[in-house]
C-alpha cells in the first residue's frame, strides 16, 4: 500500500496515473481483435476499446491502432455439394456480404470510440489464419472473445481461442463476457 500511496501523492491523488513511458506505449499499441458473428467477439472489441484505447486519459484520438481480423470458412465441395458455376458464386457472394456486414459493424464501433482501425478478411481455418495474421502484422496483443463452448463442443469443434493461446506468437487475451451478458444472447 505504501507504493500506491506514494504514486497517488505524486499524481495529486489520481489512481489512474500511468507513467509517461507506459502511457506512450499504451497509446501506440497495435492490437488485433478477432471478429466473427458472435456477440462474444463484439464484447471483446468493446472491452479492448474501453480498457486499452480509452480517450479518458488524454481526451484526444489515440495513436494506437486496432486490426480487425475476420476469417471466412472455406466452402468445401465435400461438405457442401455445390456445383461450380452460378450457385457457387452466389454462396461466395453471400459469404462476402456477411463478412462485410460484420466488419462494417466493428469499424463503426472503433470510429465511435475515436480509434484507428484497419480490417482484414481472410479465408481458411480461423485458428491458423489468425495466428498467421498476428505474425505478419506483428501486433502487440491479440484479443479474442470467448464463445463459451461447452467441454463437448470444444472437444469436437476445437476452440479458436485455445488454439491461438498455444500457437500465436504474441500475448493473447481471451475476453469472457459477464454471465448476465452471455445469458441474454
Amino acid at each position: 500500500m505504501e507504493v500506491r500511496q506514494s504514486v497517488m501523492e505524486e499524481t495529486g491523488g489520481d489512481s489512474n496515473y500511468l507513467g509517461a513511458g507506459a502511457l506512450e506505449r499504451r497509446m501506440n499499441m497495435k492490437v488485433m481483435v478477432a471478429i466473427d458473428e458472435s456477440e462474444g467477439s463484439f464484447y471483446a472489441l468493446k472491452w479492448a476499446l474501453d480498457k486499452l484505447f480509452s480517450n479518458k486519459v488524454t481526451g484526444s484520438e489515440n495513436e494506437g491502432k486496432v486490426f480487425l481480423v475476420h476469417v471466412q470458412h472455406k466452402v468445401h465441395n465435400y461438405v457442401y455439394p455445390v456445383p461450380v458455376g452460378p450457385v457457387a458464386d452466389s454462396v461466395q457472394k453471400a459469404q462476402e456480404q456477411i463478412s462485410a456486414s460484420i466488419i462494417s459493424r466493428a469499424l463503426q464501433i472503433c470510429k465511435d470510440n475515436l480509434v484507428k482501425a484497419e480490417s482484414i478478411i481472410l479465408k481458411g481455418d480461423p485458428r491458423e489464419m489468425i495466428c498467421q495474421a498476428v505474425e505478419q502484422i506483428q501486433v502487440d496483443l491479440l484479443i479474442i472473445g470467448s464463445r463459451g463452448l461447452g467441454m463437448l463442443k470444444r472437444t469436437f469443434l476445437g476452440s479458436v481461442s485455445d488454439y491461438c493461446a498455444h500457437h500465436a506468437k504474441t500475448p493473447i487475451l481471451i475476453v469472457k463476457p459477464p454471465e448476465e451478458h452471455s445469458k441474454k444472447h
Side-chain angles (χ1 to χ4, degrees):
M1 282 297 177
E2 290 180 32
V3 173
R4 184 174 175 91
Q5 287 175 345
S6 65
V7 168
M8 289 182 71
E9 289 171 7
E10 291 174 16
T11 62
D14 182 9
S15 61
N16 291 325
Y17 171 76
L18 288 174
L23 179 60
E24 186 175 326
R25 280 191 306 275
R26 184 174 145 197
M27 299 303 285
N28 292 317
M29 184 178 274
K30 289 189 331 186
V31 175
M32 181 175 286
V33 181
I35 296 291
D36 62 14
E37 69 282 353
S38 73
E39 286 303 314
S41 70
F42 283 94
Y43 179 84
L45 173 61
K46 292 172 187 171
W47 186 94
L49 296 175
D50 288 346
K51 304 295 184 194
L52 301 175
F53 293 95
S54 175
N55 294 324
K56 295 172 191 164
V57 177
T58 63
S60 63
E61 189 170 315
N62 289 292
E63 295 300 317
K65 190 171 196 179
V66 173
F67 292 88
L68 304 166
V69 64
H70 174 73
V71 182
Q72 297 175 350
H73 292 278
K74 283 188 177 178
V75 178
H76 298 287
N77 287 346
Y78 62 87
V79 175
Y80 305 102
V82 178
V84 178
V87 176
D89 290 342
S90 66
V91 169
Q92 185 176 352
K93 285 181 184 179
Q95 204 173 33
E96 289 170 0
Q97 288 175 343
I98 291 168
S99 295
S101 173
I102 291 168
I103 288 295
S104 175
R105 179 179 169 200
L107 285 169
Q108 186 61 49
I109 292 169
C110 292
K111 183 179 178 183
D112 292 346
N113 284 275
L114 302 174
V115 176
K116 295 175 190 170
E118 185 175 315
S119 63
I120 306 159
I121 298 176
L122 305 169
K123 289 184 181 181
D125 180 348
R127 299 173 295 184
E128 293 173 6
M129 299 308 295
I130 291 169
C131 288
Q132 286 177 13
V134 161
E135 198 167 341
Q136 287 176 352
I137 298 172
Q138 297 179 349
V139 295
D140 299 309
L141 179 65
L142 170 63
I143 298 179
I144 296 181
S146 173
R147 294 181 68 162
L149 294 177
M151 182 70 80
L152 188 61
K153 283 186 181 179
R154 191 168 46 246
T155 300
F156 286 109
L157 299 175
S159 167
V160 173
S161 58
D162 284 347
Y163 182 91
C164 291
H166 291 93
H167 295 91
K169 297 186 189 238
T170 194
I172 177 172
L173 177 67
I174 301 169
V175 179
K176 294 176 110 178
E179 283 190 43
E180 62 273 0
H181 185 272
S182 60
K183 288 180 183 176
K184 292 179 190 174
H185 303 286

